[in-house]
Amino acid sequence: MPELETCSGYKYLIETAYDRETIKNMERPAIAQIDTFKRYPETEKIELPRSWKLKEARIVPLLQNRRSRRKYEQKEIDLEDLAFMLWASQGITAKSGCYTFRTAPSGGALYPVETYLSIHRVKGVKPGLYHFDVESFCLDVLTEKDISSRVTAACLDQKFMAQSAVTFIWSAVVRRCMSKYGNRGMRYIFLDAGHICQNLLIAAEATGNAACPVAAFYDDDLNDILGINSNEETAIYTAAVGKKQG
Ligand SMILES: Cc1cc2nc3c(=O)[nH]c(=O)nc-3n(C[C@H](O)[C@H](O)[C@H](O)COP(=O)(O)O)c2cc1C
């Protein structure tokens, strides 16, 4: 029975990690670029209507207006809005036998993704590092100390991140998924994270907030900030969220 470290999915994760030293000379394979759009110039076309009956539905402007925004008002966001964003990204919506189901789908209903928050400006909550307890719908207080500059530095010093009201940091408990699916499980982990982040982006838009997904970070630095055992759990994605400008 192969252990995690010997699996190709796990090795891939390690081999593609960024760190401050190797990033400078990181070899990028010489792969030629390709157009963003796949085209079938020779085929028959069926024009798609843009007059959807749903046009007035709330979801339409949310999708239309969503943008990765990197400028935020330096105002607090409401705890209620943060709670909604957490619920929208990972909240439990149903139970069946031993399974719980959430707002975002997950391969095999295994939910390998954990949510941490670096809180900077949320009404009624001290700046610090928190973990989202999905089951009890509450925040676990990990450190009541502003860690925004550490998180920003870990995210390749992308300055806008220090301006966010809260930064979501998602980690993967890889064993949760790989113990069932083996190497293929690594695919599912990243797909899960994509669903979760997209739900967050829509919920941010719905609450008048702005957000930007960020996947460029030094893996070990972010794992250290979260205080997680990187052999079992590792940061995979983040998103900065703050009050929308204007
Ligand atoms: C997987 C992923 C990683 C990203 N990482 C970063 C990042 O590190 N820094 C950043 O400023 N934006 C990042 N973005 C945002 C993209 O730059 C943005 O989605 C893209 O320019 C398209 O713009 P839009 O999101 O406004 O439609 C990331 C987006 C995705 C999906």
Side-chain angles (χ1 to χ4, degrees):
M1 183 79 168
E3 248 317 310
L4 270 181
E5 302 81 56
T6 64
C7 295
S8 61
Y10 191 82
K11 285 184 191 156
Y12 170 78
L13 201 62
I14 304 298
E15 280 166 16
T16 53
Y18 278 168
D19 75 54
R20 284 170 197 282
E21 281 316 305
T22 53
I23 198 171
K24 292 178 201 149
N25 306 312
M26 209 163 195
E27 264 189 44
R28 292 206 165 65
I31 300 171
Q33 285 189 345
I34 193 167
D35 199 342
T36 310
F37 297 101
K38 177 90 187 273
R39 293 191 175 88
Y40 288 90
E42 309 302 330
T43 62
E44 189 187 334
K45 311 286 176 196
I46 299 172
E47 290 276 328
L48 292 168
R50 285 186 179 272
S51 53
W52 315 310
K53 287 193 190 75
L54 267 173
K55 202 133 199 175
E56 300 311 315
R58 187 84 175 99
I59 188 76
V60 177
L62 299 180
L63 291 171
Q64 173 69 46
N65 297 331
R66 185 214 61 81
R67 198 84 293 139
S68 292
R69 296 178 211 276
R70 300 172 182 82
K71 289 191 175 136
Y72 315 107
E73 292 264 12
Q74 295 306 289
K75 286 185 186 157
E76 289 185 312
I77 65 170
D78 291 328
L79 181 57
E80 202 176 290
D81 286 352
L82 176 61
F84 175 68
M85 288 187 261
L86 285 164
W87 176 81
S89 59
Q90 290 219 284
I92 292 175
T93 48
K95 287 190 182 171
S96 174
C98 61
Y99 287 99
T100 55
F101 298 98
R102 305 190 189 176
T103 48
S106 174
L110 293 170
Y111 306 101
V113 178
E114 294 290 325
T115 304
Y116 296 83
L117 301 175
S118 172
I119 289 188
H120 319 136
R121 269 184 304 280
V122 175
K123 260 178 217 153
V125 186
K126 290 195 180 123
L129 178 67
Y130 297 81
H131 168 257
F132 174 39
D133 178 336
V134 176
E135 210 175 11
S136 309
F137 201 63
C138 64
L139 294 180
D140 300 315
V141 184
L142 303 185
T143 345
E144 285 185 336
K145 198 172 86 183
D146 195 324
I147 54 160
S148 59
S149 57
R150 282 187 73 197
V151 172
T152 302
C155 292
L156 274 59
D157 234 342
Q158 300 186 66
K159 300 285 183 223
F160 72 92
M161 296 195 72
Q163 306 304 314
S164 72
V166 54
T167 293
F168 282 61
I169 305 170
W170 292 288
S171 73
V173 179
V174 291
R175 186 180 295 272
R176 222 176 262 162
C177 201
M178 289 183 73
S179 59
K180 177 164 185 191
Y181 293 116
N183 287 318
R184 196 172 179 85
M186 195 56 80
R187 295 187 188 209
Y188 300 162
I189 288 170
F190 289 106
L191 293 170
D192 275 25
H195 291 299
I196 290 166
C197 183
Q198 181 69 20
N199 279 13
L200 167 69
L201 300 178
I202 300 299
E205 192 63 41
T207 50
N209 288 296
C212 181
V214 168
F217 53 79
Y218 300 116
D219 300 61
D220 284 347
D221 293 12
L222 211 45
N223 289 338
D224 282 349
I225 292 170
L226 300 182
I228 55 183
N229 169 4
S230 59
N231 293 328
E232 292 288 328
E233 182 181 357
T234 187
I236 53 169
Y237 206 8
T238 80
V241 179
K243 268 257 163 284
K244 206 189 249 186
Q245 286 193 329

